[in-house]
Amino acid sequence: MGMCGIFATTNDKNSAQTILSGLKKLEYRGYDSWGIAVKGRTRLRSQKQVGKISVSQTTLPQSNMGIGHTRWATHGGVTVANAHPHFDCSGKLALIHNGIVDNYQELEKKIKGHKLIGQTDSEIVAHLIEKELKTEKDLFRAVKKVVRMTEGFNAFVVMHQDFPYLVTAKTGSPVVIGIRPGANMLSSDVASLLSHTKQVIFLTDGQIAKVAPDKVRIENYSGVKKIKPVVQTIDWTAKSASKSGFPHFMLKEIYDQPAVLIKIVESKIKEVREFAKTISKAKNVFTVACGTASYAALAGQYLFSRLAGRQVTPAIGSEFYYNDGFINSRSLCIALSQSGETLDTLQSVKFAKDRGAKAVSLVNVQGSSLDRLSDQTVLLEAGPEKAVASTKAFLAKVAILLLTASALKRKTPRAVIEIKQAIRAIRKILSPDYQKYLKKLAERFKHSHSMFILGRGVSYPAALEAALKIKEVSYIHAEGFAAGELKHGVIALVNQNTPCLVFAPNDETYSDIISGAMEVKARGGIIIGVSFKPNPMFDYYLPVSDSGSGTILPNVVVAQCLAYYLAVARGLDPDMPRNLAKSVTVK
Ligand code: F6R
């Protein structure tokens, strides 16, 4: 059922309330509709609604056990009937689901005569379990049989009025069990559990768990062998997952960035050197990532070439399979991901590993599928990223790639200095006067039809990332370009008053990028220069002090802030852009 959030309690005296707060923290995973079911004295009680959960209240009665879901639709429209939980014909069984059951049409044939209310693949699974329970009297075993029949990358949670436990299975999408003695819980992510517990068990693909208030039993759903659960302690704090007084998570996470970079230069050098060693042993190196993470990877390509003379081939997660020819046991696959759950990235890594390649991941979420799948992980340690638009994870990835490229040439100290310069430059951008100016610019350009962002060299991926941020949160059409490409076609789109953000750092690209800006200006475009020094070419000037190879970091921060203020100026919620979800766990 798409990319959704699941949250459940086994013994909480205010279960509906606790689930509602849990779902509010998971809303970034999907926010078109939501629902909760709790156990009543004699029957299940439920509430389902279309629309954002952040402003909603629950009307459900007190109960200890319950399951809840926030949805991002893939199968079936956004309606109350399609919102989860889904029920069987008896109304005693409730199911929530994350993912897509690929063979749902085939499975639907097995439940002829059952009464379906909505159009989702998930509801079919609830009825299949009902059917199975007619012969198999144990809920855990019945769910197990049905999960085996499903195809795709899913997570299921099932509750039944007559059974004192929940059943959850993972065939792809994340499931985290929160260990709270006497009151175990379930969620799609760690951050939503932090206010209750820091002890968690990550289910892995192929596992099914019976979660009772004080007991967890895990098995492989294809076998019968009991698996010893591995309980991990998470070192994030609940505060790091809250807005801390900021109006939006996006702004809070933009402001987290200096601290994220400080942590990297202070505590990651040893890990970075290990990572560099792995790279130097590989014959060919490629990166896989999606969206913002793929732009961090592209920046990596420029940095590895400039700082280490090392070729790294970037691929987008969904395109990776088409590079099959050169992936073998001497290849290294570097996967970059904030969530560690992006399906296209995960599948690319599996694909590379199947061909004998080694996999290293740069990932933010400890214990995520990507972390577990990789031979080596460099954790970003950026803390929970809740806004749908990725900000601090991008900076963390680029900083780690910059350090790693430098480590290949034993030049880490230089990179540390540059990142520290970048931190100072970011602090200036985050100062009240600078922010005021950015807000003013956003007011000035909030009705623009399109925007262009130009860069060359490592500022080219910065331009792509800036355009993505502006597009996804402000819905203004924005395009990032390698400035040299303009005259090969795109310049036809520039007309009177088209704003154009130009990255002009103190490097080998400076004079050429200024020429590119000139071409735009000559056609009526308005130039917003992001540079270490003013230039008569600029109609507006956003100063960013030189941080050598680290300048991409503050440059991107300028664009993040501008995107944020454009969204706010247009009356939009930057944390939850339309049509998007934080973890893209479907193809
Ligand atoms: C854009 C954004 C997405 C993600 C992409 C990959 O702001 O957040 O483009 O970067 O969906 O997600 P992760 O990094 O979790 O693999």
Side-chain angles (χ1 to χ4, degrees):
M1 187 29 45
M3 305 173 288
C4 311
I6 55 184
F7 199 92
T9 58
T10 57
N11 186 18
D12 188 301
K13 60 178 186 313
N14 280 320
S15 68
Q17 201 46 54
T18 304
I19 292 168
L20 187 74
S21 331
L23 291 180
K24 285 184 181 178
K25 292 180 192 145
L26 288 170
E27 197 178 17
Y28 69 90
R29 300 180 67 87
Y31 36 83
D32 54 39
S33 52
W34 64 275
I36 298 176
V38 295
K39 271 194 186 184
R41 214 166 296 148
T42 52
R43 61 181 182 94
L44 298 182
R45 308 286 297 267
S46 71
Q47 178 182 3
K48 297 207 222 180
Q49 262 169 244
V50 165
K52 284 191 179 177
I53 193 169
S54 46
V55 288
S56 305
Q57 312 264 328
T58 172
T59 49
L60 288 167
Q62 279 216 326
S63 158
N64 289 337
M65 189 177 277
I67 61 178
H69 186 269
T70 176
R71 178 171 188 244
W72 188 87
T74 50
H75 270 228
V78 181
T79 61
V80 169
N82 288 339
H84 297 219
H86 291 290
F87 299 91
D88 66 351
C89 297
S90 73
K92 283 186 159 189
L93 181 146
L95 173 139
I96 50 179
H97 167 219
N98 181 3
I100 297 172
V101 178
D102 292 337
N103 57 335
Y104 75 97
Q105 283 169 325
E106 188 191 311
L107 294 178
E108 193 170 3
K109 292 184 194 139
K110 294 182 193 267
I111 50 160
K112 287 217 171 82
H114 283 245
K115 193 168 173 284
L116 299 184
I117 290 165
Q119 292 88 41
T120 68
D121 49 347
S122 322
E123 197 179 355
I124 296 168
V125 180
H127 287 269
L128 272 172
I129 301 170
E130 174 182 30
K131 186 178 169 205
E132 207 55 48
L133 270 174
K134 298 246 159 30
T135 46
E136 172 56 79
K137 297 295 173 200
D138 178 73
L139 180 68
F140 182 66
R141 284 202 292 271
V143 176
K144 198 168 165 180
K145 280 195 183 153
V146 171
V147 170
R148 263 189 235 151
M149 298 176 199
T150 63
E151 286 170 15
F153 303 96
N154 297 293
F156 302 98
V157 182
V158 181
M159 175 173 75
H160 195 291
Q161 178 69 20
D162 301 339
F163 292 86
Y165 56 83
L166 300 172
V167 183
T168 181
K170 170 169 162 51
T171 71
S173 294
V175 178
V176 188
I177 303 173
I179 300 301
R180 220 175 138 205
N184 290 333
M185 314 178 83
L186 276 176
S187 178
S188 297
D189 80 5
V190 165
S192 60
L193 291 168
L194 288 175
S195 55
H196 304 285
T197 179
K198 288 188 178 175
Q199 306 282 105
V200 300
I201 299 169
F202 293 99
L203 276 201
T204 55
D205 288 353
Q207 293 185 340
I208 181 164
K210 182 177 186 172
V211 184
D214 52 6
K215 225 164 109 196
V216 177
R217 180 189 171 90
I218 302 179
E219 291 179 11
N220 278 328
Y221 53 75
S222 52
V224 284
K225 225 175 118 223
K226 196 172 153 191
I227 293 163
K228 198 167 176 290
V230 182
V231 180
Q232 298 192 26
T233 305
I234 300 299
D235 68 357
W236 288 354
T237 61
K239 190 167 169 284
S240 65
S242 75
K243 282 189 203 159
S244 313
F246 285 91
H248 296 101
F249 278 112
M250 184 174 175
L251 192 61
K252 184 241 172 202
E253 287 159 11
I254 288 173
Y255 272 79
D256 282 346
Q257 293 178 117
V260 169
L261 295 178
I262 290 170
K263 194 163 178 188
I264 288 172
V265 289
E266 285 181 352
S267 68
K268 302 237 86 138
I269 304 300
K270 206 168 142 232
E271 251 177 284
V272 157
R273 291 201 169 116
E274 287 299 312
F275 178 28
K277 256 192 230 157
T278 308
I279 293 174
S280 53
K281 283 187 211 143
K283 183 154 186 300
N284 59 0
V285 182
F286 42 87
T287 57
V288 287
C290 300
T292 285
S294 79
Y295 299 142
L298 192 58
Q301 182 196 19
Y302 283 94
L303 292 170
F304 274 86
S305 140
R306 181 203 276 177
L307 301 170
R310 175 84 215 214
Q311 193 196 346
V312 171
T313 309
I316 294 169
S318 53
E319 291 289 317
F320 182 66
Y321 322 96
Y322 316 121
N323 276 318
D324 193 12
F326 62 87
I327 302 158
N328 54 45
S329 60
R330 298 177 70 196
S331 309
L332 176 69
C333 170
I334 303 174
L336 297 92
S337 174
Q338 189 287 125
S339 62
E341 302 295 345
T342 302
L343 191 62
D344 282 326
T345 307
L346 284 172
Q347 288 200 314
S348 299
V349 172
K350 283 182 193 153
F351 183 86
K353 287 191 77 167
D354 286 347
R355 279 152 187 75
K358 196 169 170 165
V360 183
S361 64
L362 264 61
V363 63
N364 196 31
V365 180
Q366 185 191 357
S368 57
S369 306
L370 183 61
D371 177 17
R372 282 176 281 118
L373 183 65
S374 306
D375 301 299
Q376 188 179 343
T377 297
V378 184
L379 279 179
L380 304 178
E381 296 191 55
E385 197 184 67
K386 307 272 286 188
V388 163
S390 182
T391 52
K392 57 183 178 172
F394 176 88
L395 255 67
K397 286 172 206 146
V398 173
I400 289 171
L401 291 171
L402 166 57
L403 286 166
T404 312
S406 307
L408 282 170
K409 289 283 176 198
R410 297 182 191 284
K411 290 208 173 124
T412 335
R414 170 87 221 136
V416 169
I417 292 171
E418 289 175 335
I419 294 176
K420 287 187 176 164
Q421 287 169 339
I423 294 169
R424 283 195 286 278
I426 293 169
R427 285 196 172 129
K428 279 189 215 154
I429 296 164
L430 300 180
S431 67
D433 284 349
Y434 205 115
Q435 293 286 300
K436 220 160 115 191
Y437 186 63
L438 284 168
K439 243 188 248 179
K440 235 171 76 186
L441 267 190
E443 278 301 324
R444 160 79 178 79
F445 293 112
K446 69 179 179 190
H447 297 303
S448 299
H449 179 258
S450 336
M451 283 183 81
F452 293 104
I453 299 95
L454 302 185
R456 296 181 80 105
V458 77
S459 302
Y460 166 50
L464 294 174
E465 170 58 6
L468 180 61
K469 284 290 95 82
I470 293 170
K471 275 187 265 217
E472 67 182 331
V473 300
S474 77
Y475 312 155
I476 294 174
H477 168 244
E479 294 296 337
F481 288 104
E485 276 291 289
L486 267 184
K487 49 187 167 297
H488 298 290
V490 182
I491 203 150
L493 295 175
V494 172
N495 56 25
Q496 217 63 31
N497 297 329
T498 305
C500 184
L501 196 73
V502 175
F503 291 123
N506 186 19
D507 64 15
E508 68 281 11
T509 66
Y510 186 79
S511 54
D512 286 339
I513 191 88
I514 295 295
S515 313
M518 217 143 33
E519 293 164 11
V520 173
K521 199 173 165 95
R523 276 133 192 112
I526 301 170
I527 307 297
I528 309 165
V530 182
S531 185
F532 65 108
K533 62 176 182 188
N535 188 296
M537 185 64 51
F538 302 157
D539 297 296
Y540 296 90
Y541 170 47
L542 294 167
V544 170
S545 39
D546 181 26
S547 324
S549 294
T551 308
I552 178 176
L553 302 166
N555 277 354
V556 168
V557 176
V558 169
Q560 294 168 345
C561 296
L562 191 60
Y564 171 80
Y565 289 121
L566 281 168
V568 174
R570 287 163 66 90
L572 302 167
D573 176 356
D575 283 349
M576 279 178 237
R578 68 184 177 209
N579 306 341
L580 293 174
K582 182 76 179 160
S583 288
V584 186
T585 52
V586 291
K587 253 191 168 184

